[in-house]
Amino acid sequence: MAVVRLSKVSKAYGTHQVLREVSFELEKGRMLALIGRSGSGKSTLLRCMNGLETIEGGEIEMAGHKITQGSVSLRALRQDVGIVFQQYNLFPHLTVERNVTLAPDVVKGMARDEARALARRVLAQVGLESKIDAYPDQLSGGQQQRVAIARSLAMAPKVMLFDEVTSALDPELTGEVLKVMEDLARGGMTMILVTHEMAFARRVADTVGFMHHGRLWEFGTPEQVMNKPATPELEGFLGAVL
Amino acid sequence: MNSRTFSWTDVLFLIEAARWTLLLSAIAFAGGGVIGLATALARTGPSRLLRSLASIYVEVIQGIPLLALLFLSYYGIGILGINVSPVLAASLALVLNAGAFLGEAWRGCIEAVPRTQWEASASLALTRPQQLRYVILPQAVRLAVPPTVGLMVQIVKATSLASVIGFVELSRAGQMLNNATFKPFLIFAVVGAIYFACCYPLSKLSGRLERSGNGSRSPVKGF
């Protein structure tokens, strides 16, 4: 059953059309990697999927929550759809534990010791249980990004979005974040990521989507999309990045 | 004409008058703080109506000299047939004045918290009040310490203007003593020293707060 369903999603900034009738479906437990040049609309598309950007046409359905042009119940949607950002965006004034437990506490009303146990569990999942009392600025970029993943996991989302989460990291720190994401994928999390990590996309993703000029230009298995590009645009892009 | 000498009792008289300066400062800061917070939240908030009302308030108050505001609140309310005491009129004018300046400074601090902090907290399904309370304001407060202390010092000194409507605070007491003793240099040196004694600890406190562990964990660092 499709847990993510996009149908003719369109968006424009003024006269600039950033998304043109994007449609696709994603089954539960699958990982979709969105690739494409900067400005092709892939990050915007991802941000539309948790309501950080509005859409002007079409419909998005995420884990049963519908997003259309009009009003959306963003809070219900966001309890089921997590997002991890390129710049981590941890809360710098809070400890790692509080970063992770803030939303379970104030949004879901979780009890304090239950929240602490939850923090331990999700931090163990990203290999950072020992940093539970640290502040974000005491961690490396890779560790901060793993805390950001743990923070998102703590809300027990049904779908997780990853917006170029390794782009701000040194190559040696990229690996530890990708490993956490691979573990999540194996654990059955439904994931959509915008990424420049072609090798990772090819190896771990079930589906790859190539965005070009706001359109979902090609969509298929990694083998289809990355080994046998059907269009000169994708061929040109792969030639440039591989 | 015989003038009497300036003695230690007069210094005590000035220090007693300084209590009114401090009381007026405290009223102005407390009242101004409440109005300032409301103004800052309104100006950064989602309601267009509240945003414009707050911005009109700030622009009007910032565009009127405090002296004029004091006269307005003392004589203006009097014209309406309501008898206001100098302390009430002075408090009203100083509160309105402080509210506008604090509101404007705090608006800047709220806006200085990166937009991505709003996005990250919104993505975790926090409501707007929850975002403000747990994520945005704690970071804005740290940024707000230096400008707030600066404004507190301004407020203490601004209370001296209340002397024009006959409120006997430190400056007014100095004028009264001068009328009796004709020692302006000495008297206003003492008056100035008392103001300094009130303001200097505030500046020192600000430095301490900025250097303390919490203050240094700024929201902008590491971003």
Side-chain angles (χ1 to χ4, degrees):
Chain A
M1 201 197 84
V3 67
V4 176
R5 190 177 288 130
L6 276 74
S7 130
K8 300 196 169 182
V9 174
S10 297
K11 179 179 179 65
Y13 291 122
T15 58
H16 176 58
Q17 195 73 30
V18 284
L19 295 176
R20 299 166 199 258
E21 305 207 327
V22 176
S23 302
F24 69 83
E25 290 190 356
L26 193 68
E27 300 283 306
K28 188 170 184 299
R30 296 299 175 88
M31 182 201 274
L32 163 65
L34 290 171
I35 59 172
R37 292 194 171 82
S38 310
S40 61
K42 52 195 192 316
S43 276
T44 307
L45 181 64
L46 199 75
R47 289 164 61 85
C48 289
M49 287 189 238
N50 83 333
L52 280 177
E53 304 275 351
T54 55
I55 60 174
E56 269 131 40
E59 190 181 277
I60 300 177
E61 195 182 321
M62 305 286 294
H65 305 281
K66 279 195 169 61
I67 308 175
T68 52
Q69 282 163 274
S71 70
V72 188
S73 173
L74 286 178
R75 290 198 65 215
L77 166 79
R78 285 165 173 168
Q79 292 191 43
D80 285 334
V81 180
I83 187 166
V84 183
F85 301 93
Q86 180 177 353
Q87 289 290 349
Y88 339 130
N89 302 351
L90 293 179
F91 307 129
H93 59 300
L94 301 177
T95 62
V96 165
E97 178 186 0
R98 191 62 180 149
N99 263 277
V100 171
T101 59
L102 179 65
D105 171 14
V106 306
V107 175
K108 293 185 170 172
M110 189 178 280
R112 187 161 287 266
D113 29 336
E114 197 185 339
R116 175 134 182 125
L118 170 69
R120 285 191 185 289
R121 199 173 70 237
V122 292
L123 286 169
Q125 223 174 325
V126 301
L128 284 175
E129 211 184 348
S130 62
K131 299 290 185 187
I132 190 162
D133 293 318
Y135 279 91
D137 65 3
Q138 297 167 325
L139 305 177
S140 73
Q143 290 171 332
Q144 289 190 52
Q145 192 58 291
R146 283 147 67 197
V147 171
I149 293 173
R151 179 174 70 176
S152 194
L153 278 176
M155 288 296 275
K158 299 194 171 91
V159 180
M160 283 183 80
L161 309 173
F162 294 83
D163 189 5
E164 298 194 26
V165 295
T166 56
S167 299
L169 298 174
D170 296 335
E172 65 262 39
L173 299 179
T174 301
E176 66 187 50
V177 174
L178 292 181
K179 184 179 172 307
V180 166
M181 290 166 67
E182 194 173 344
D183 290 346
L184 275 180
R186 289 196 201 298
M189 178 63 76
T190 309
M191 301 161 73
I192 302 176
L193 43 131
V194 166
T195 188
H196 295 294
E197 299 288 335
M198 294 299 153
F200 181 75
R202 186 199 298 262
R203 190 166 54 83
V204 183
D206 309 287
T207 315
V208 174
F210 171 61
M211 295 281 297
H212 186 69
H213 287 331
R215 285 187 201 284
L216 188 57
W217 205 262
E218 291 199 30
F219 189 79
T221 64
E223 296 75 40
Q224 283 170 346
V225 174
M226 299 174 91
N227 296 348
K228 304 187 202 82
T231 57
E233 289 80 6
L234 177 54
E235 204 167 345
F237 173 72
L238 291 173
V241 297
L242 291 180
Chain B
M1 186 156 86
N2 259 340
S3 63
R4 66 177 185 83
T5 54
F6 182 74
S7 68
W8 282 110
T9 25
D10 296 326
V11 175
L12 287 178
F13 175 68
L14 286 176
I15 289 173
E16 279 218 72
R19 292 193 318 195
W20 288 103
T21 291
L22 289 178
L23 180 69
L24 208 49
S25 303
I27 291 171
F29 185 71
V34 171
I35 294 180
L37 182 62
T39 305
L41 290 178
R43 289 203 73 181
T44 53
S47 155
R48 184 169 299 181
L49 176 70
L50 288 180
R51 272 206 307 270
S52 358
L53 284 179
S55 115
I56 291 169
Y57 161 67
V58 168
E59 272 157 33
V60 166
I61 297 293
Q62 288 196 336
I64 299 178
L66 178 55
L67 195 61
L69 207 57
L70 279 160
F71 282 132
L72 271 174
S73 93
Y74 187 52
Y75 297 111
I77 298 175
I79 287 169
L80 298 176
I82 305 160
N83 209 357
V84 282
S85 63
V87 64
L88 198 62
S91 300
L92 179 66
L94 283 163
V95 162
L96 286 177
N97 182 66
F101 283 92
L102 287 169
E104 192 60 359
W106 292 346
R107 174 183 72 93
C109 297
I110 291 173
E111 285 174 351
V113 176
R115 194 177 49 87
T116 50
Q117 292 286 308
W118 287 98
E119 286 189 351
S121 48
S123 299
L124 289 165
L126 270 67
T127 60
R128 191 184 164 82
Q130 290 170 340
Q131 288 179 284
L132 280 169
R133 175 168 166 206
Y134 296 105
V135 177
I136 305 300
L137 291 183
Q139 298 185 62
V141 162
R142 277 156 200 184
L143 297 171
V145 170
T148 303
V149 174
L151 284 170
M152 280 171 85
V153 170
Q154 296 290 332
I155 289 169
V156 172
K157 293 188 290 186
T159 57
S160 63
L161 288 173
S163 58
V164 299
I165 55 172
F167 182 70
V168 185
E169 37 64 71
L170 181 51
S171 292
R172 181 75 182 156
Q175 286 167 8
M176 287 159 66
L177 272 186
N178 184 42
N179 290 344
T181 62
F182 301 106
K183 298 253 180 353
F185 186 78
L186 181 61
I187 288 168
F188 286 103
V190 175
V191 166
I194 297 175
Y195 275 113
F196 180 80
C198 295
C199 295
Y200 185 70
L202 287 176
S203 314
K204 276 282 145 196
L205 181 70
S206 166
R208 273 246 307 275
L209 288 174
E210 278 173 66
R211 277 191 305 274
S212 76
N214 278 347
S216 65
R217 190 154 274 127
S218 111
V220 189
K221 198 176 107 187
F223 175 72

